[in-house]
């Protein structure tokens, strides 16, 4: 939180800037008032306090799965955040609808997998994001459930695969996207389920394949 207060005196402006954290920000108001009263008494001049209010600045809840770490629940990726699975790290989920990296509503986020991602539930993507995100896989992504995509993305995303993406479930596309995405495959994409595409995209997508599908 940032709390701003401006004290206006007849002769000059005096600015107070107070930094506080979380729920303690409101407690700073009495301190500003006392400082103002001291100034007012000292100068014996009429004054006016203008409180510009509170601005909440929330830090992004980035996550990193490090070497030797295995997570068995979905890792949430929100807008503007960064999620990374390092080499030797892993995310493995078994429930339906349990995306390994769940950025279903995320915009302008970054998801990077250099480790191992696997899901076994239905509708459980390896990585799922919304719009304008950057997705990179140089590790392995494996899904086995029905409608479980390796990477699922909506619009205007940048997706690069330099590792392996493998799906075995029905309708489980390796990469599934909507519109205006850039998809580059430098790795290996494999699907074996019914109606499961290597890359399934809708409109105005750019797809470059330098690897194997």
């Amino acid at each position: 939180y940032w709390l701003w207060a401006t004290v206006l005196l007849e002769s000059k402006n005096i600015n107070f800037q107070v930094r506080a954290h979380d729920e303690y920000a409101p407690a700073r108001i009495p301190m500003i008032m006392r400082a103002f009263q001291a100034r007012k008494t000292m100068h014996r001049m009429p004054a006016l306090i203008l409180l510009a209010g509170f601005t909440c600045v929330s830090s992004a809840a980035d996550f990193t799965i490090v070497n030797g770490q295995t997570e068995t629940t979905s890792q949430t990726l929100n807008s503007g955040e960064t999620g990374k699975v390092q080499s030797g790290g892993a995310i493995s989920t078994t429930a339906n609808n349990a995306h390994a990296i769940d950025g279903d509503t995320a915009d302008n986020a970054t998801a990077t997998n250099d480790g191992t991602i696997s899901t076994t539930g239905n509708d459980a993507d390896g990585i799922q994001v919304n719009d304008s995100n950057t997705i990179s896989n140089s590790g392995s992504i494996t899904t086995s459930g029905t409608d479980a995509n390796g990477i699922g993305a909506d619009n205007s995303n940048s997706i690069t695969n330099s590792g392996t993406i493998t799906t075995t479930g029905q309708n489980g596309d390796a990469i599934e996207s909507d519109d205006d995405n850039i998809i580059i495959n430098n790795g290996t994409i494999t699907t074996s389920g019914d109606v499961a595409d290597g890359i399934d995209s809708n409109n105005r997508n750019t797809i470059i394949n330098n690897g194997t599908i």
Side-chain angles (χ1 to χ4, degrees), residues 1-4 20 25 52-58:
Y1 291 89
W2 288 78
L3 175 62
W4 294 85
F54 293 97
T55 300
C56 180
V57 180
S58 59

Side-chain angles (χ1 to χ4, degrees), residues 15-212:
N15 295 319
F16 292 96
Q17 176 184 333
V18 180
R19 286 187 182 182
H21 297 284
D22 302 327
E23 70 272 16
Y24 300 104
R28 303 302 192 224
I29 294 176
M31 180 182 70
I32 293 174
M33 295 298 293
R34 288 194 297 272
F36 161 67
Q37 291 296 336
R39 294 279 186 176
K40 181 178 177 181
T41 301
M42 182 183 300
H43 292 277
R44 299 183 182 280
M45 295 179 180
L48 171 67
I49 289 185
L50 301 178
L51 290 179
F54 293 97
T55 300
C56 180
V57 180
S58 59
S59 60
D62 300 340
F63 71 82
T64 300
I65 310 301
V66 300
N67 181 21
Q69 178 183 359
T70 299
E71 293 293 331
T72 58
T73 58
S74 296
Q75 302 300 296
T76 301
L77 186 69
N78 295 312
S79 294
E81 297 178 352
T82 297
K84 184 170 185 178
V85 182
Q86 295 182 346
S87 178
I91 304 175
S92 178
T93 69
T94 58
N96 293 337
N97 302 300
H99 308 311
I101 295 179
D102 189 354
D104 194 40
T105 61
D107 300 329
N108 300 302
T110 300
T112 302
N113 177 46
D114 298 324
T116 302
I117 286 176
S118 64
T119 71
T120 59
N122 298 331
D123 295 293
D125 296 349
I127 300 174
Q128 172 65 44
V129 294
N130 195 28
D131 300 335
S132 303
N133 301 282
T134 300
I135 304 166
S136 177
N137 174 55
S138 63
S140 67
I141 298 175
T142 304
T143 70
S144 60
T146 300
D147 296 311
N149 304 310
I151 296 173
D154 288 344
N155 305 305
S156 303
N157 297 282
S158 174
I159 302 169
T160 303
N161 175 51
S162 300
T164 62
I165 303 176
T166 304
T167 70
T168 58
Q170 182 177 356
N171 295 319
D173 301 327
I175 299 175
E176 190 278 331
S177 65
D178 287 341
D179 303 332
D180 301 306
N181 298 281
I182 298 175
I183 302 170
I184 301 174
N185 178 49
N186 298 317
T188 301
I189 288 175
T190 305
T191 67
S192 58
D194 292 337
V195 199
D197 299 328
I199 298 176
D200 180 11
S201 296
N202 288 338
N203 303 308
R204 300 178 304 276
N205 293 282
T206 299
I207 300 172
I208 300 172
N209 180 40
N210 299 314
T212 302

